[in-house]
Amino acid sequence: MTDARELLIRRIGAQGDGVADLEGQSIFVPFTLPGERIEAEISGDRARLQRVLAPSAERAAPVCVHFGKCGGCTAQHMAPDTYAEWKRNLVADAFRARGLDPKVESLQRTAGKRRRAVTKAVRTPEGVALGFYEASSHDLVAITECPVLEPSIVAALPAIGNLIAPLLSKRGEARVAITLTKAGLDVEISGTERQLTPEVRTTLATKASDMKLARFSVGGETVVATLPAFLTFGTADVVLPPGVFVQAVEEAEADIARRVVSAVGKAKAVADLFCGLGAFTFPLAERSRVSAFDGDKAAIAALSAAVKKTSGLKPITATLRDLFRDPLSPLELNEHDAVVFDPPRAGAEAQSQRLARSKVKTIVAVSCNPATLARDTRHLVDGGYRIESVTPIDQFLYSAHVEVVAVFRR
């Protein structure tokens, strides 16, 4: 049941929604700002904005025609200062919830820098459309422009849609991962219903080659690879395995790596946990011996192959290890002067508990989830570590996600 009401927005919630108080209940209204009087259609604790009756001076004009419908962005309506303070508060609030009150630095912006990696939802009601799902919906918004993606990705979407059409049934859908590598676009399709027959495979290979895609894969199987799809970390070129995680924005990744290397300083031996393809491993190895660990077999294989081809670095060892089930022990950790960890959104609770019992002098945590970072920080602080710095980095422009680099000393 819905109800249209006039509301006063009091604050911004963690997901970027404006929050109003109504009869003792919090009502969440997307695309609104504190101090605004609005009219909205209410359903439970959610509301759909109908009109802004009294706009905030902090309201900004959206930079994309799809904003408000496409679920990819939530915060284009915020003025820059409001936006930056909201994202900073996401981090500060997460730490306060764990009884911690470190100084959280100002948001480090990556304005104008766009994502090189994106996963697209695909649906075929009347053809092939590529885009994002509408917020709280399974309806696909086919995008024609996007301020947070690399222009070459947006420009290629129509051709990619035509390319994958043979893989989709009449109303089928799939997932498309597009990564801008140094060799060009790497496109991977997963979740399709139709089998990759020899005839379809040959057609796809020809079309992908004509499009000059660096690589085209279906369900983890490479259909065609015209060039090695690689990324550069420090001085190392690493060939990208299909489906392996990479940081979203190249410039943000470089900024994070600089902060990690600076915090580690003159450490002779560094452990790089959840190392992935080596985004931090290789910059660290320009000055330190690095022991890299990750549970992704393909990532470790790619990192190891790049080590063999890259000269001028300190020794690097790459080890396949599930750090969730088998975290490094305090004794193993104590073999290093510094530890860097960059886990998935779930964080690294088991590993942080072991770190808290170690004698490692410096720890650098990189996280895309302030809540799990704050939880892991609580373990480190309880184990005697001091929080030296907490820096939010705006890698995920206009979204409710924020990257964080935190430095700890013993």
Side-chain angles (χ1 to χ4, degrees), residues 190-227:
S190 59
T192 59
E193 298 175 356
R194 293 187 173 179
Q195 292 185 341
L196 191 62
T197 64
E199 294 78 11
V200 170
R201 182 188 179 93
T202 299
T203 300
L204 292 175
T206 300
K207 289 183 177 180
S209 297
D210 291 343
M211 291 172 59
K212 295 182 171 55
L213 296 181
R215 180 173 58 195
F216 179 64
S217 308
V218 179
E221 179 184 349
T222 299
V223 173
V224 64
T226 57
L227 291 169

Side-chain angles (χ1 to χ4, degrees), residues 41 47 84-85 92 119 146 168 215 230 257 276 296 333 336 359 408:
E41 191 175 74
E85 188 61 18
T119 303
C146 183
L168 301 175
R215 180 173 58 195
F230 72 96
D296 190 316
L333 292 164
H336 305 89
K359 298 179 181 179
F408 308 88

Side-chain angles (χ1 to χ4, degrees), residues 148-168:
V148 302
L149 297 183
E150 285 285 351
S152 58
I153 293 178
V154 179
L157 294 182
I160 292 172
N162 291 332
L163 171 67
I164 66 176
L167 298 173
L168 301 175

Side-chain angles (χ1 to χ4, degrees), residues 101-352:
D101 192 24
K103 178 184 177 183
V104 178
E105 303 294 336
S106 299
L107 181 71
Q108 302 300 302
R109 304 296 297 270
T110 56
K113 308 304 182 185
R114 304 191 182 196
R115 298 188 195 182
R116 66 179 173 196
V118 62
T119 303
K120 297 298 220 184
V122 177
R123 181 173 296 198
T124 58
E126 299 175 348
V128 178
L130 286 86
F132 294 111
Y133 284 120
E134 187 174 344
S136 304
S137 170
H138 292 293
D139 294 331
L140 188 76
V141 179
I143 65 169
T144 57
E145 65 176 62
C146 183
V148 302
L149 297 183
E150 285 285 351
S152 58
I153 293 178
V154 179
L157 294 182
I160 292 172
N162 291 332
L163 171 67
I164 66 176
L167 298 173
L168 301 175
S169 57
K170 185 176 180 181
R171 293 190 63 83
E173 60 182 54
R175 301 294 292 179
V176 182
I178 307 171
T179 305
L180 177 59
T181 74
K182 297 294 185 180
L185 294 181
D186 177 26
V187 179
E188 181 182 15
I189 314 300
S190 59
T192 59
E193 298 175 356
R194 293 187 173 179
Q195 292 185 341
L196 191 62
T197 64
E199 294 78 11
V200 170
R201 182 188 179 93
T202 299
T203 300
L204 292 175
T206 300
K207 289 183 177 180
S209 297
D210 291 343
M211 291 172 59
K212 295 182 171 55
L213 296 181
R215 180 173 58 195
F216 179 64
S217 308
V218 179
E221 179 184 349
T222 299
V223 173
V224 64
T226 57
L227 291 169
F230 72 96
L231 300 174
T232 300
F233 307 123
T235 60
D237 293 336
V238 183
V239 176
L240 180 67
V244 170
F245 168 81
V246 299
Q247 295 286 354
V249 178
E250 182 178 7
E251 290 81 0
E253 177 184 79
D255 183 20
I256 296 168
R258 285 193 294 271
R259 293 173 187 276
V260 167
V261 171
S262 176
V264 165
K266 297 181 179 180
K268 293 182 179 180
V270 181
D272 185 7
L273 310 183
F274 307 94
C275 63
L277 294 170
F280 308 139
T281 302
F282 290 104
L284 285 166
E286 293 178 20
R287 296 196 293 189
S288 306
R289 184 172 71 255
V290 181
S291 301
F293 297 86
D294 200 282
D296 190 316
K297 184 177 181 179
I300 287 293
L303 191 157
S304 298
V307 168
K308 296 176 181 178
K309 299 184 299 181
T310 308
S311 60
L313 299 177
K314 300 291 186 180
I316 297 173
T317 58
T319 303
L320 180 65
R321 183 159 172 173
D322 185 341
L323 297 172
F324 293 107
R325 297 183 179 182
D326 185 22
L328 268 66
S329 69
L331 285 177
E332 291 174 297
L333 292 164
N334 289 343
E335 297 174 2
H336 305 89
D337 307 308
V339 170
V340 176
F341 69 96
D342 179 16
R345 289 188 60 79
E349 185 167 26
Q351 187 62 81
S352 64

